[in-house]
Amino acid sequence: SDPYVEISTYGIEVDSTKHRTPAVRNNGLNPIWNYKCHVDIYCPELCLLKFQVRDEDRHSGSSFLGQACYPFTALQLGYRHIKLKAKDGDYIHGTIFVHISIEDL
């Protein structure tokens, strides 16, 4: 597989963003993206952060592999394993390893 991650924020209009990592070719077991994403959040109480892992296919589009969604105010700082869920909401045997930092301005 050729996995990539979409990182989306949902909230008030200025807090809604979408970022996408490059796909890692032929490495579905241990992909390393080393991707940094910076997002400005103006209303954290109404913001959700979603991680979605997809498999890129040049011929038929991408296919869903797993996702996780958290309220922005529930995020814990530091290195974290994010457990992924299938479309039906059941946990799958997959995680993504992320580093989360929040800067107050």
Side-chain angles (χ1 to χ4, degrees):
S1 65
D2 302 328
Y4 67 92
V5 179
E6 287 182 354
I7 303 111
S8 305
T9 56
Y10 300 95
I12 62 174
E13 189 173 345
V14 295
D15 288 347
S16 297
T17 64
K18 184 179 276 192
H19 298 270
R20 182 188 186 277
T21 67
V24 176
R25 300 283 172 226
N26 300 319
N27 188 354
L29 294 177
N30 190 28
I32 298 173
W33 290 283
N34 199 20
Y35 181 81
K36 288 187 179 186
C37 174
H38 176 83
V39 179
D40 292 324
I41 302 296
Y42 295 93
C43 188
E45 299 82 13
L46 298 177
C47 187
L48 296 173
L49 177 66
K50 181 173 89 170
F51 300 94
Q52 188 175 76
V53 181
R54 303 186 67 83
D55 179 19
E56 184 175 76
D57 187 349
R58 297 178 200 169
H59 305 293
S60 63
S62 65
S63 58
F64 176 88
L65 296 176
Q67 72 179 6
C69 188
Y70 295 98
F72 187 82
T73 55
L75 293 175
Q76 295 181 355
L77 304 180
Y79 290 98
R80 301 282 177 228
H81 281 279
I82 305 291
K83 288 183 167 185
L84 300 174
K85 291 185 177 185
K87 285 185 179 179
D88 63 4
D90 291 338
Y91 283 105
I92 61 174
H93 295 287
T95 64
I96 54 175
F97 188 59
V98 300
H99 181 262
I100 297 174
S101 63
I102 298 174
E103 298 175 10
D104 291 330
L105 297 179

